[in-house]
Amino acid sequence: MPERRKPDNTTVRDRAEERFQEGLWRVEGHPLFAPLAWRASIRAVDDLPRMARAVVSSQGGVRINVRQPASASEWAWVIAHCLLHLGMGHFEAEPPRHKLAWNTACDLAVARFLADFRFGRSPQAPRRPDIGAGQTEETLFERFVRDGVPDHLKDFGTTPFGQPDMLWEAPVKPQFSFVGYQEPEWQELFGEGLKLAVSMAVNVVGGEAESMTVYGRQDTERSAAQRAKAWFVNSYPLLGSLAVAFDIIESAKTCQAKDISVAAVSVETQEIYFNPAAGLSEEELRFVMAHE
């Protein structure tokens, strides 16, 4: 009997990354979450608590531990969960004294919403919360402060064992600013998503649209540079109107011929060149896009 080979570590990482990207595309392509997703900073990191899949900060940073095992449906749930903490106003107040109680109350509200909306699948608690129906986050918070947080309610977030998935961070003044830029109003963006979702649902029922997707499958297979362009258009409406007219060219051979080491813009041909050999992260691509 031939010896079974263990999967190569690179192959395992590639498959994990593919599942994460598929989950991210599902979130970015859904009308309810798209406005939030395009303004948040969603990125992979290596410094999350053990077994944590994601955390979200008060400044709109969603940090993902792609190394944790999860299906595409579970990653979609994880990312949407983090975005809903922003959209549902869970960071509006100052950090509470009893952070775990508040975080748990918010996790339950988000988990109920996703379960009722039938979006994604929780990798930790694949069931609807059996407590708090009809109760607000504030009501649950008061209860947990008074009576303590039951152990069986600590796994409805994106981190296990009662670890917080909400992080309060002090505002950081941006090093660069652009005309037309506005700080995200997360609850307003969530409201836009709700209206867009209702509108698209009506279109699907009426036969004017085939699915509840804000872009087709072909568009979801965009490169990091193309996603940086889409983020820029959404984040900087005035300058974004200029960026829409430019095509993205990603060819190491073309960039080498034109002596472009990182990026360049051609007003005459209305093209923006990105050299894939530069190895830029998505955050760096956003900055370069804005610069060009």
Side-chain angles (χ1 to χ4, degrees):
M1 184 176 180
E3 181 181 355
R4 295 182 62 182
R5 292 185 178 181
K6 294 183 178 179
D8 180 77
N9 288 336
T10 303
T11 303
V12 172
R13 287 195 299 270
D14 289 345
R15 290 176 180 173
E17 178 69 22
E18 288 176 3
R19 288 191 290 268
F20 165 71
Q21 287 295 338
E22 175 64 31
L24 178 59
W25 288 332
R26 293 183 188 183
V27 174
E28 292 179 342
H30 197 286
L32 178 63
F33 304 109
L36 290 167
W38 284 113
R39 295 305 302 275
S41 174
I42 304 173
R43 59 190 178 92
V45 297
D46 297 321
D47 58 351
L48 291 187
R50 179 176 175 270
M51 300 299 288
R53 287 183 171 82
V55 296
V56 57
S57 77
S58 55
Q59 299 304 304
V62 179
R63 303 166 189 168
I64 305 291
N65 183 1
V66 182
R67 295 175 301 175
Q68 284 298 315
S71 65
S73 182
E74 289 170 337
W75 277 127
W77 187 96
V78 166
I79 297 168
H81 182 103
C82 291
L83 293 175
L84 284 174
H85 277 316
L86 296 167
M88 297 173 75
H90 293 163
F91 288 104
E92 286 299 298
E94 293 294 322
R97 180 180 177 184
H98 302 277
K99 288 185 179 180
L100 177 59
W102 176 248
N103 203 149
T104 303
C106 294
D107 282 339
L108 289 171
V110 170
R112 285 202 308 269
F113 182 94
L114 290 172
D116 293 341
F117 202 72
R118 298 183 180 180
F119 184 83
R121 181 180 185 275
S122 169
Q124 294 170 188
R127 64 189 189 281
R128 191 183 189 280
D130 58 355
I131 188 174
Q135 298 184 48
T136 66
E137 293 90 320
E138 289 77 11
T139 303
L140 288 171
F141 172 64
E142 293 174 0
R143 172 179 175 179
F144 294 152
V145 170
R146 183 184 67 247
D147 302 332
V149 179
D151 289 339
H152 70 284
L153 297 179
K154 294 179 180 179
D155 60 352
F156 284 95
T158 61
T159 54
F161 315 125
Q163 297 174 359
D165 60 14
M166 295 171 57
L167 305 178
W168 273 262
E169 294 181 341
V172 178
K173 186 177 180 180
Q175 186 176 2
F176 302 95
S177 61
F178 302 94
V179 176
Y181 176 76
Q182 295 179 344
E183 289 292 332
E185 294 289 345
W186 301 110
Q187 288 178 275
E188 291 183 9
L189 291 171
F190 183 41
E192 292 177 10
L194 287 170
K195 289 187 290 185
L196 182 59
V198 171
S199 175
M200 293 194 69
V202 172
N203 290 339
V204 170
V205 173
E208 298 180 18
E210 295 181 358
S211 66
M212 290 275 291
T213 307
V214 295
Y215 45 67
R217 177 64 188 178
Q218 183 177 1
D219 291 331
T220 65
E221 296 172 351
R222 294 174 296 181
S223 67
Q226 291 168 329
R227 293 198 299 272
K229 176 185 175 182
W231 172 87
F232 183 73
V233 170
N234 281 278
S235 301
Y236 304 96
L238 295 182
L239 291 178
S241 62
L242 298 176
V244 170
F246 284 76
D247 293 325
I248 300 294
I249 305 298
E250 298 175 87
S251 169
K253 184 176 180 180
T254 300
C255 289
Q256 184 179 8
K258 294 180 177 292
D259 195 25
I260 300 172
S261 59
V262 178
V265 60
S266 172
V267 178
E268 293 181 358
T269 61
Q270 291 190 308
E271 294 173 330
I272 298 178
Y273 300 90
F274 286 91
N275 190 343
L280 300 179
S281 68
E282 196 148 332
E283 290 290 325
E284 291 169 332
L285 283 169
R286 290 178 178 183
F287 173 81
V288 171
M289 180 72 207
H291 177 87
E292 299 303 333

